[in-house]
Amino acid sequence: MGVFENIISLNEKLPKHVKLIAVSKFHSVDRINEAYRAGARFFGESRMQELIEKKNKLPADIRWHFIGHLQRNKVREVVSLADTIESVDSERLLSEILKQSDSLKKRVRCFLQIHISNEDTKYGFSYEECEAILKKYISANSEYCCIGGLMGMASNTDDMQEVRKEFGRLKEFYEYIKETYFKTDDDFSDLSMGMSGDYTIAIEEGSTMVRLGSIIFGNREY
Ligand SMILES: *Cc1c(COP(=O)(O)O)cnc(C)c1O
């Protein structure tokens, strides 16, 4: 099946409350256009340069989600290009995003990335760190930058019980945070979890947003 058919069949399969982010990193503008023609409007990229080049050549109503590790010197550019930054993984990064979105007067949604896997190669806050950051920034109340949710990546393992456990715990934490800090704030409404290999489990465990790359576009050639 091609990209077009993959998007159509995912849209039929995914529950209505789950948003699809088509992760297009390393894939061509042509293939992204194919996904767009099938109805995809949310795309995920992990590198600034790639995002700049693609955004210029693609329809303006695409909403770009930045999902890669982001360096502070690239924040201004990424804030100007992206709708959502899903990979906010340090306090310094969050404060830079606040600063740049204010200065550009550009709205941006931030997700705090939580380290939920048992691997130490991935970025993200611990649960404790995440709550501490929220306590500190909850009153910052920027007009342009909002905290829209949490993002997490499960361990890259065949042990689906472990994956389920990691997603389940993140969902519990998400509900606790929503109840405690965002009860009256509708911006905080997304839990981004699930990739090509584990999205069905993520949805069962309460994901509202899945980030799917290879299942749509095939394998990436780095
Ligand atoms: C690459 C990437 C994905 C997509 O991975 P697939 O396994 O191809 O679906 C999802 N989330 C993040 C953060 C990524 O970097």
Side-chain angles (χ1 to χ4, degrees), residues 23 25 67 151 153 195-196 211-214 220:
V23 176
K25 64 189 186 193
I67 61 172
M151 187 271 262
M153 275 185 275
M195 303 170 38
S196 293
R211 307 176 312 277
L212 305 183
S214 41
R220 289 179 285 274

Side-chain angles (χ1 to χ4, degrees), residues 6-217:
N6 292 339
I7 294 288
I8 300 289
S9 86
L10 277 167
N11 279 338
E12 281 166 8
K13 186 172 165 190
L14 295 176
K16 290 282 166 288
H17 68 277
V18 177
K19 280 151 262 166
L20 171 62
I21 310 301
V23 176
S24 50
K25 64 189 186 193
F26 294 93
H27 293 291
S28 67
V29 165
D30 282 351
R31 314 202 81 201
I32 299 175
N33 258 317
E34 216 178 316
Y36 181 88
R37 282 196 302 275
R41 291 295 180 273
F42 298 90
F43 289 86
E45 288 287 338
S46 59
R47 298 186 308 177
M48 180 185 80
Q49 203 51 42
E50 210 177 326
L51 175 56
I52 294 172
E53 286 160 19
K54 288 174 174 174
K55 183 167 172 145
N56 276 327
K57 298 178 186 152
L58 285 155
D61 64 340
I62 288 182
R63 307 274 198 93
W64 296 97
H65 281 219
F66 194 84
I67 61 172
H69 179 62
L70 180 56
Q71 283 152 359
R72 278 193 307 157
N73 61 356
K74 297 182 174 165
V75 165
R76 191 175 174 84
E77 188 92 28
V78 169
V79 163
S80 77
L81 300 166
D83 183 74
T84 302
I85 300 174
E86 295 203 21
S87 44
V88 178
D89 58 6
S90 74
E91 179 173 355
R92 277 154 48 110
L93 179 58
L94 180 61
S95 73
E96 187 66 17
I97 295 171
L98 275 160
K99 183 172 139 197
Q100 296 300 342
S101 60
D102 263 5
S103 133
L104 292 163
K105 303 200 182 312
K106 162 71 172 61
R107 275 185 199 289
V108 67
R109 266 184 110 200
C110 291
F111 295 176
L112 300 181
Q113 181 175 349
I114 314 291
H115 180 116
I116 62 170
S117 75
N118 55 26
E119 294 152 21
D120 47 39
T121 52
K122 284 175 186 157
Y123 298 100
F125 297 108
S126 68
Y127 289 114
E128 293 73 22
E129 286 165 345
C130 177
E131 187 165 5
I133 297 288
L134 284 172
K135 277 191 179 140
K136 191 161 162 190
Y137 282 86
I138 203 75
S139 53
N141 226 345
S142 157
E143 194 180 330
Y144 296 100
C145 173
C146 74
I147 296 181
L150 305 178
M151 187 271 262
M153 275 185 275
S155 296
N156 183 11
T157 169
D158 292 333
D159 180 354
M160 287 305 154
Q161 281 315 109
E162 170 63 24
V163 168
R164 187 178 293 283
K165 198 179 82 194
E166 291 169 2
F167 284 149
R169 178 144 188 247
L170 179 56
K171 169 70 172 181
E172 262 174 45
F173 180 73
Y174 169 81
E175 291 300 339
Y176 160 74
I177 291 295
K178 194 170 167 56
E179 179 68 23
T180 311
Y181 300 97
F182 295 98
K183 210 168 176 177
T184 58
D185 181 347
D186 295 335
D187 285 330
F188 189 88
S189 56
D190 276 309
L191 175 57
S192 176
M193 58 183 196
M195 303 170 38
S196 293
D198 56 24
Y199 74 100
T200 48
I201 298 178
I203 291 169
E204 285 165 15
E205 295 301 320
S207 169
T208 70
M209 186 178 279
V210 290
R211 307 176 312 277
L212 305 183
S214 41
I215 200 173
I216 296 169
F217 297 104

